[in-house]
């Protein structure tokens, strides 16, 4: 039989055998448990970012507040979307997304910093975005080709975080 066809047959058989493992196939080269753990930290990071941007959205005041508020609102909804993507990926890997408020801040890479003035808030957001970009870049390198789907997901999220950092940088220049 054609080599390609035998391989397909083998792949189908093993796919059927491991149906209970969901999206995780034998071709999966990463440490699944470890990837789930890392993704749960990313989930916590995104959730903390949602909360921080929400707080900033409601607290933003002053002559420059309107455009800044809109930016905070948009970022909060982007971070929520990221959290959803990550939670979804965790379940695809057979894990459980950790949404527990207990220890959320400790699991997250970035901080929940309230910031007193509008400028402080923007600065805190810029710092948080820069931390996210740094840790996500490390995760991308670490996951490598062991789990291409997770890698692509984090790359996609990271691209957005770089945009966020840029947005905050621009706002800082505008407001100060
Ligand atoms: Fe995010
Ligand atoms: Fe972000």
């Amino acid at each position: 039989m054609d080599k390609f066809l035998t391989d397909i047959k083998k792949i189908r058989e093993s796919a059927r055998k491991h149906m209970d493992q969901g999206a995780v196939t034998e071709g999966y080269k990463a440490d699944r448990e470890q990837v789930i753990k890392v993704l749960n930290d990313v989930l916590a990071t995104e959730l903390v970012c949602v909360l921080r941007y929400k707080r900033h959205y409601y607290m933003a005041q002053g002559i420059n507040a309107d455009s800044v508020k809109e930016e905070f609102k948009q970022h909060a909804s982007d971070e929520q979307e990221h959290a959803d993507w990550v939670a979804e990926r965790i379940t695809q890997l057979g894990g459980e997304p950790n949404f527990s408020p207990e220890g959320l801040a400790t699991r997250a890479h970035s901080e929940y910093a309230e910031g007193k003035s509008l400028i402080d808030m923007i600065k805190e957001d810029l710092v948080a975005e820069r931390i996210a970009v740094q840790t996500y870049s490390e995760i991308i390198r670490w996951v490598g080709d062991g789990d291409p789907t997770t890698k692509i997901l984090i790359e996609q999220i990271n691209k957005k975080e770089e945009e966020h950092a840029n947005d905050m940088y621009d706002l800082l220049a505008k407001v100060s």
Side-chain angles (χ1 to χ4, degrees), residues 42 45-46 49 53 75 78-83 129 132 136 157-158 160-161 164:
V42 174
T45 304
E46 295 295 341
C49 288
Y53 277 122
H75 284 202
D78 291 344
E79 312 298 18
Q80 181 62 61
E81 191 173 36
H82 297 166
E129 294 295 351
Y136 292 176
I157 293 173
N158 209 28
K160 202 49 156 181
E161 310 306 2
H164 286 171

Side-chain angles (χ1 to χ4, degrees), residues 96-154:
E96 293 178 12
N98 188 354
F99 281 94
S100 172
E102 191 101 34
L104 181 68
T106 326
R107 293 196 302 279
H109 308 134
S110 51
E111 266 180 87
Y112 176 85
E114 293 182 342
K116 283 196 181 77
S117 64
L118 198 55
I119 290 179
D120 277 351
M121 292 179 202
I122 300 168
K123 276 185 186 164
E124 291 299 346
D125 292 327
L126 178 56
V127 169
E129 294 295 351
R130 288 175 61 89
I131 290 169
V133 169
Q134 221 168 350
T135 51
Y136 292 176
S137 301
E138 276 171 40
I139 292 171
I140 291 161
R141 278 191 291 273
W142 172 74
V143 171
D145 298 327
D147 180 344
T149 312
T150 297
K151 187 185 172 203
I152 290 165
L153 174 66
I154 303 297

